[in-house]
Amino acid sequence: MNEIEEIDPRLVERFLTELPDKALRLGIRVLLAVVAFFIGTQLIRIIRKIVKKSMQHAKAETGVIQFMDSFIRAVLYVLLAFMIAGSFGLDAASIVAIVGSAGVAIGLALQGSLSNFAGGVLILLLKPFKVGDYIIEDTNKNEGTVREIQIFYTKLATPDNKIIVLPNGNLANVSLTNVSACEKRRMDIWVGISYQADIRYAKQVITDVLRNDEDTLKDEEMFVYVHELGDSSVILGIRCWFLSEDYWTGKWRVTEEVKYALDENGIGIPYPQMDIHMKNP
């Protein structure tokens, strides 16, 4: 076996002599890196505020502002990381070369994120929806009001105040329903009345409810019609229009007021029934 080489005492002495100086320089670099990170985060925050205010003055859509804010934040933090790495003696070109050599693996790992980023860009360009719209994603039936359109994800707020986070790539490639894209919405409800009731009078009573409601659009169609002759009742269809923001409260209120009006005018809403005829043997 080879004999273990003896360590030169002079090297050990030199190492111990230089150790405090090296530790001090490393500590200074770490301290400077921490200070640079703190200053950098503050500068990033200021830049984001300036960009936001500029886009707001330019009357850009809220979704575009949110998307650009998340994109700028990601880019600036990457640049900050490169600058801090450079302070430790790492060459940015070397880092880029290392990242490039691992490009295939990184590309596969970020495939979903890149798809979501491209989906976000398509959403902003094609505008199938915007912040504030109520949408229904038809594949998984996720629905809610659009709160944020970020660089990779879109956030929906459900009517019961839950947050749904959906990848932009999925939203850009599936069918969806934008419920609030139009200014007005048509309401359709159906109510059954007894076969003994006067259909013309029932239609007049319901029409009066529509005309007296505070939110129905009086310049749009109001129509009450016989929708179907059911097994135990005559089904009347009720149609009118509301502004999109008044749709649900208006629909609930009209449905309730129709019930009250029919009761007050003696027009029955029958239960399902069946006539049975007994035959003597």
Side-chain angles (χ1 to χ4, degrees):
M1 296 179 63
N2 295 330
E3 294 182 358
I4 299 176
E5 296 182 1
E6 294 184 359
I7 300 177
D8 190 347
R10 290 174 297 177
L11 294 177
V12 175
E13 183 180 359
R14 181 180 176 185
F15 175 76
L16 293 175
T17 303
E18 295 178 352
L19 181 60
D21 184 49
K22 290 182 178 180
L24 178 61
R25 283 183 292 182
L26 179 61
I28 292 174
R29 284 186 178 181
V30 171
L31 180 61
L32 290 176
V34 172
V35 173
F37 179 78
F38 176 76
I39 295 175
T41 53
Q42 298 303 315
L43 288 175
I44 290 173
R45 187 176 300 174
I46 292 172
I47 293 172
R48 289 171 59 196
K49 285 184 178 180
I50 293 173
V51 173
K52 271 186 180 180
K53 288 183 178 179
S54 299
M55 296 184 73
Q56 288 170 351
H57 285 310
K59 297 183 179 179
E61 290 184 1
T62 305
V64 176
I65 296 174
Q66 292 172 346
F67 183 89
M68 290 303 300
D69 178 58
S70 57
F71 177 73
I72 291 171
R73 179 180 59 188
V75 171
L76 291 179
Y77 271 110
V78 170
L79 292 177
L80 179 61
F82 274 107
M83 292 174 60
I84 293 175
S87 68
F88 283 92
L90 297 177
D91 187 7
S94 301
I95 298 174
V96 172
I98 294 173
V99 173
S101 63
V104 176
I106 293 175
L108 292 174
L110 298 179
Q111 185 176 4
S113 297
L114 293 175
S115 174
N116 291 335
F117 174 77
V121 173
L122 287 175
I123 288 171
L124 293 179
L125 291 177
L126 302 179
K127 298 180 180 179
F129 57 84
K130 62 183 184 298
V131 173
D133 284 350
Y134 191 96
I135 65 172
I136 303 172
E137 184 260 313
D138 295 337
T139 302
N140 297 309
K141 303 303 179 183
N142 292 307
E143 61 179 282
T145 302
V146 180
R147 283 282 182 87
E148 295 181 29
I149 303 175
Q150 296 186 348
I151 184 171
F152 297 123
Y153 297 96
T154 292
K155 292 184 178 180
L156 306 182
T158 64
D160 56 347
N161 207 30
K162 297 176 183 176
I163 297 296
I164 300 176
V165 181
L166 299 176
N168 288 336
N170 291 354
L171 285 177
N173 292 294
V174 300
S175 60
L176 57 86
T177 302
N178 191 330
V179 176
S180 56
C182 298
E183 182 183 359
K184 306 172 184 177
R185 283 188 67 183
R186 191 182 76 191
M187 181 205 74
D188 290 278
I189 58 176
W190 297 268
V191 61
I193 64 172
S194 170
Y195 270 99
Q196 285 73 39
D198 186 336
I199 294 177
R200 295 184 182 87
Y201 182 57
K203 290 170 64 176
Q204 183 60 49
V205 168
I206 296 173
T207 301
D208 290 342
V209 171
L210 299 180
R211 288 174 177 168
N212 294 329
D213 186 82
E214 58 188 16
D215 289 330
T216 54
L217 299 179
K218 307 305 186 289
D219 56 341
E220 295 289 344
E221 175 190 41
M222 292 183 185
F223 193 49
V224 182
Y225 57 95
V226 177
H227 175 70
E228 182 183 355
L229 299 177
D231 293 335
S232 56
S233 62
V234 178
I235 310 299
L236 298 182
I238 305 170
R239 177 173 294 174
C240 64
W241 289 79
F242 291 98
L243 294 176
S244 293
E245 60 266 27
D246 298 328
Y247 176 80
W248 285 109
T249 55
K251 181 175 183 178
W252 297 331
R253 184 176 58 252
V254 165
T255 303
E256 183 176 347
E257 291 298 329
V258 165
K259 175 63 169 65
Y260 294 152
L262 293 177
D263 289 345
E264 291 169 1
N265 288 275
I267 302 171
I269 300 177
Y271 297 101
Q273 55 186 303
M274 179 182 297
D275 292 336
I276 300 176
H277 300 275
M278 302 295 292
K279 190 174 183 181
N280 274 330

